[in-house]
Amino acid sequence: MNNNIEQLDVAIIGAGLTGLAAAHYVRKSDKKIAIFEKQDRCGGVINTATQNGFTFEEGPNTGIVGTPEVADLFEELKDLCELEIANDEVDKRYILKDSKWEALPSGLIAGIKTPLFSLKDKFRLLGEPFRPKGKNPHESLAELVKRRLGQSLLDYAIDPFILGVYSGDPSILVPKYALPKLYNLEQNYGSFIGGAIKKKFEKKDKEAKKATRKVFSTKGGLSSLTNALYKSVGENNFYFNSNQLVVKPENGKYHISVSIDGETKEFIANDVITTTGAFALPEILPFIDGNEIKKLTSLYYARVIEVILGFENWKGFPLDGFGGLIPHKEKRDVLGVLFLSTLLKNRAPKNGALLTLFIGGVRRDELVDLSDEEIIRLVEREVKELMQLDEFSPELFKIIRHNKAIPQYGVDSGERFETIYHLESKYPGLILGGNMRNGIGMADRITQGKQMANRVLNK
Ligand SMILES: Cc1cc2nc3c(=O)[nH]c(=O)nc-3n(C[C@H](O)[C@H](O)[C@H](O)COP(=O)(O)OP(=O)(O)OC[C@H]3O[C@@H](n4cnc5c(N)ncnc54)[C@H](O)[C@@H]3O)c2cc1C
């Protein structure tokens, strides 16, 4: 045996939220692990920065405490970081219609009064519980919503919601994979409205009660969460600047070769967990058959530009909510804007404002190719009008480009998941995680990380 080859129980590839959560739970055992990360820091797309009195995110901004695993993780890390639940104003969400912000209705009276939806669709809603269940598991989200709720609810509720979460297109996303909770409401209860009401009255055990709709961040920004995980895992277990990482099966285990700071290192691991995007896998797992790897890499990732704006003295539209989303029908160049200094503490100086805008996505992909100068002009034009500013002179202006941002779970997802199951059974000890399966949100990533760790620990 080559003595320079280090023996590992578990190798984790990628130190984003998924890899960190998996490592945190594997480390509850005495297993020897290593986390290989291409960048020189952990966190992946999560990256908090501070400048001129503003604390802002360069990736995800807030998550939902939508699974018990999120609540548990923050509880376990409470000595290392502090969960921050967003301000109550989070419930007020604006949607742009005819160039005017309208609050998304949250109750019956507001729902009747709102100009967002047509009178016909408001009446149609009364019949929603009696409409038959869909039979096509590959029906698009747009088709499902038109069938059950009507065109105006698709255009002014679901479409902007999908822009906010997926930067996506409801006619491409398939609810069975992209929004399984919504899909299951129809499949299990026969109706969205009836299902939501019944679910509200269902008895929940202590564990299920931990999952809420609360919006979270971490005090000081989301990097405080990933840095806390880094510490809990143990700094010595990380290999940053890991390049040209290649995994190969060898005698029932996995051989890993990787170039770290220009030096090639070799490892043998019993288990390998990948958490990178699907696009990175051909290089990492060259032994996988070309047709099979194509079924993973065919997953399309939307490109998005995130623009962060900080104003020391805000004089525009009152920022009394979560933010505003802009339906595709409105034909604007911005997908939406988040009012982060309203939602979270200490993000901007007193009387100031921190806003984050999104540009691009599946249906406006061409905008991502604009130069920085063109983006600056676009943002000035759009923000002045949308946020009712006489003068546009932000103290902070940052453009962050995400070229592989959000995976779009479309009609090919079923085949992708089948391929993943097949590969994991063909290569025992290989676990293919990350956002190509099990959901895209931060809560999904934490949950998947824990599940993958359990698979390794319970072997
Ligand atoms: C712009 C943007 C906004 C978002 N907003 C939200 C939001 O508001 N709320 C929410 O819940 N979710 C949001 N998300 C989703 C978010 O991406 C996930 O919740 C989560 O942070 C992804 O974590 P991950 O570990 O799966 O992937 P990543 O963070 O992408 O981590 C993967 C890691 O693998 C590393 N890597 C890649 N290739 C290799 C290789 N060959 N060798 C070694 N390492 C490698 C990468 O460098 C990276 O660090 C957003 C995503 C983006 C891009």
Side-chain angles (χ1 to χ4, degrees), residues 123-136:
F123 275 112
R124 243 184 129 245
L125 270 184
L126 298 172
E128 193 276 335
F130 310 104
R131 256 165 230 135
K133 259 200 309 209
K135 292 196 178 94
N136 172 12

Side-chain angles (χ1 to χ4, degrees), residues 15-17 20-21 24 40-44 46-50 57 73-74 77 79-82 218-235 238 240:
L17 185 58
L20 289 167
H24 170 80
D40 60 2
R41 58 166 189 90
C42 66
I46 293 175
N47 198 17
T48 311
T50 300
E57 304 289 351
L73 184 66
F74 274 105
L77 296 173
D79 293 337
L80 296 171
C81 68
E82 194 178 320
T218 316
K219 194 175 168 193
L222 289 166
S223 285
S224 309
L225 168 63
T226 51
N227 289 338
L229 283 164
Y230 174 55
K231 284 194 191 123
S232 86
V233 170
E235 299 169 14
F238 287 83
F240 292 112

Side-chain angles (χ1 to χ4, degrees), residues 10 25-26 28-29 31 271 273 431 450-459:
V10 189
Y25 286 105
V26 173
K28 286 186 178 288
S29 70
K31 288 201 181 288
D271 295 281
I273 298 177
I431 299 181
K450 184 171 184 181
Q451 286 166 349
M452 294 191 299
N454 285 340
R455 282 172 64 188
V456 167
L457 299 180
N458 298 334
K459 267 203 327 191

